[in-house]
Amino acid sequence: MPLGAPGPGQRTAPSVVALGGGHGLSASLSALRHLTDRLTAVVTVADDGGSSGRLRRELGVLPPGDLRMALSALCDDSEWGRTWRDVLQHRFASEGSLHQHATGNLLIATLWDLLDDPVAGLDWVGRLLGARGRVLPMAAVPLDIEADVLGLVPGDDDAPTSVRGQVAVASTTGRVTAVRLVPSDPPVRPEVLEAIAAADWVVLGPGSWFTSVLPHLLVPALADALTSTAARLCVTLNLAVESGETDGFSAEAHLEVLAAHAPSLRVDAVVADPVAVGDPHALSEAAADLGARVLLRQVSLGDGTPRHDALRLAAAYRDVFGGSYGDVDPRGAPGGP
């Protein structure tokens, strides 16, 4: 069966909402586009570094970088789409103020200035790319991430320190224990809530756990939409821990943090690569506490780098959407007795 073909009893491709940001969301979108074009990306808007941070501070706009990356992942698979994707992702190298600005960030900011509507601007870029889906911002205003971090006070590893800003949280040398958003109750565009309400599946992760994945669950309107939707929820775990954010985290610890930040969230499925799972039984138990089943599949490129293979991840999502979990042996490899 081709990856994009409907499964038994399924007359149309599923409607899917993917939540996240940065490279993690790009990975899930690159996979999901093989299964459906009824696809909406809801993207975090807390980035305060690089080109995005500069435009955010100078123009007062949403940080466009993660939105740009999501659009690029959904580009039409033609010479036209791939060329415009490369234009969006191109960065200038200069000795002046344009250094390291991404062309796509400038294009998105230009459309926002002309149209005075962030969603309309993103839709226009999507049309230019022939995007297989739609990209929406998580909130209608820029957000800041604030975290409680342990291990930053000399001589007292248990003393909490408040760290603010996505770049600062992502690069901290301490241990992140909790995150929150500023403002704590930001406005959310109705298009986001409508997409979640109409979805068959919502996919959360992979990505930077505290700065790209969890923030979606901290926006009250989004959290309410996720707990009230009839859509099923699939959590995709990372292939490796991230220095600072999740140093020393087990696979099941990611789910425990998820439950701590969103105790009312119901999860139906967890996708993980066996090489990233130390104890498959512990992961299964943590998933069961959320109401979920675990699908263990090789979803990495297999070259030793923590990068997802789009086709392997698409096949894993197809199995989850079709309820084909298969057996998992005690060592964590699929296809056990």
Side-chain angles (χ1 to χ4, degrees):
M1 180 187 299
L3 283 179
Q10 183 179 326
R11 288 178 293 181
T12 59
S15 175
V16 181
V17 173
L19 309 178
H23 294 288
L25 180 59
S26 292
S28 63
L29 294 176
S30 296
L32 289 165
R33 57 174 289 159
H34 290 288
L35 303 178
T36 182
D37 55 7
R38 302 170 64 203
L39 182 56
T40 303
V42 178
V43 185
T44 184
V45 287
D47 192 4
D48 59 354
S51 172
S52 286
R54 290 158 63 191
L55 291 170
R56 171 180 174 170
R57 290 186 292 272
E58 185 170 340
L59 302 178
V61 298
L62 296 172
D66 285 355
L67 296 159
R68 181 199 82 246
M69 291 180 65
L71 284 162
S72 297
L74 294 176
C75 75
D76 182 59
D77 192 22
S78 64
E79 183 182 11
W80 176 275
R82 292 192 300 271
T83 298
W84 279 109
R85 175 203 61 197
D86 292 345
V87 170
L88 254 64
Q89 297 287 58
H90 176 76
R91 290 186 184 272
F92 294 101
S94 74
E95 300 298 324
S97 59
L98 280 177
H99 181 63
Q100 283 301 295
H101 264 309
T103 308
N105 289 354
L106 300 175
L107 176 61
I108 291 169
T110 299
L111 284 163
W112 287 345
D113 197 37
L114 290 173
L115 302 175
D116 196 27
D117 184 339
V119 170
L122 294 169
D123 285 344
W124 271 93
V125 179
R127 291 169 62 186
L128 179 66
L129 290 166
R132 292 177 58 90
R134 194 180 195 191
V135 173
L136 299 171
M138 179 180 76
V141 297
L143 303 176
D144 279 330
I145 292 176
E146 191 174 72
D148 293 330
V149 182
L150 303 181
L152 297 182
V153 178
D156 189 352
D157 288 342
D158 295 324
T161 301
S162 180
V163 175
R164 181 164 175 168
Q166 183 176 19
V167 172
V169 173
S171 60
T172 183
T173 57
R175 180 165 62 89
V176 179
T177 59
V179 290
R180 53 197 164 269
L181 297 178
V182 181
S184 60
D185 190 4
V188 175
R189 290 288 298 239
E191 296 92 340
V192 173
L193 305 180
E194 291 163 4
I196 293 172
D200 297 309
W201 280 90
V202 174
V203 174
L204 182 63
S208 300
W209 215 245
F210 285 101
T211 54
S212 290
V213 177
L214 289 179
H216 292 79
L217 306 176
L218 304 180
V219 177
L222 263 182
D224 289 345
L226 290 170
T227 55
S228 61
T229 182
R232 288 171 288 177
L233 179 65
C234 174
V235 173
T236 312
L237 294 181
N238 293 332
L239 297 172
V241 298
E242 292 188 275
S243 178
E245 278 201 39
T246 55
D247 252 343
F249 267 44
S250 62
E252 58 270 18
H254 289 75
L255 299 185
E256 291 162 0
V257 167
L258 197 70
H261 283 79
S264 60
L265 188 70
R266 184 198 75 251
V267 178
D268 296 276
V270 175
V271 172
D273 192 298
V275 299
V277 178
D279 186 341
H281 290 303
L283 177 61
S284 293
E285 290 175 359
D289 288 341
L290 295 170
R293 295 179 64 185
V294 175
L295 177 79
L296 287 177
R297 294 285 188 276
Q298 182 183 348
V299 292
S300 67
L301 284 174
D303 61 357
T305 64
R307 294 183 296 163
H308 286 87
D309 180 278
L311 289 178
R312 286 173 173 164
L313 186 56
Y317 286 143
R318 182 189 60 186
D319 287 347
V320 165
F321 297 167
S324 301
Y325 286 78
D327 294 326
V328 176
D329 73 16
R331 296 183 302 280

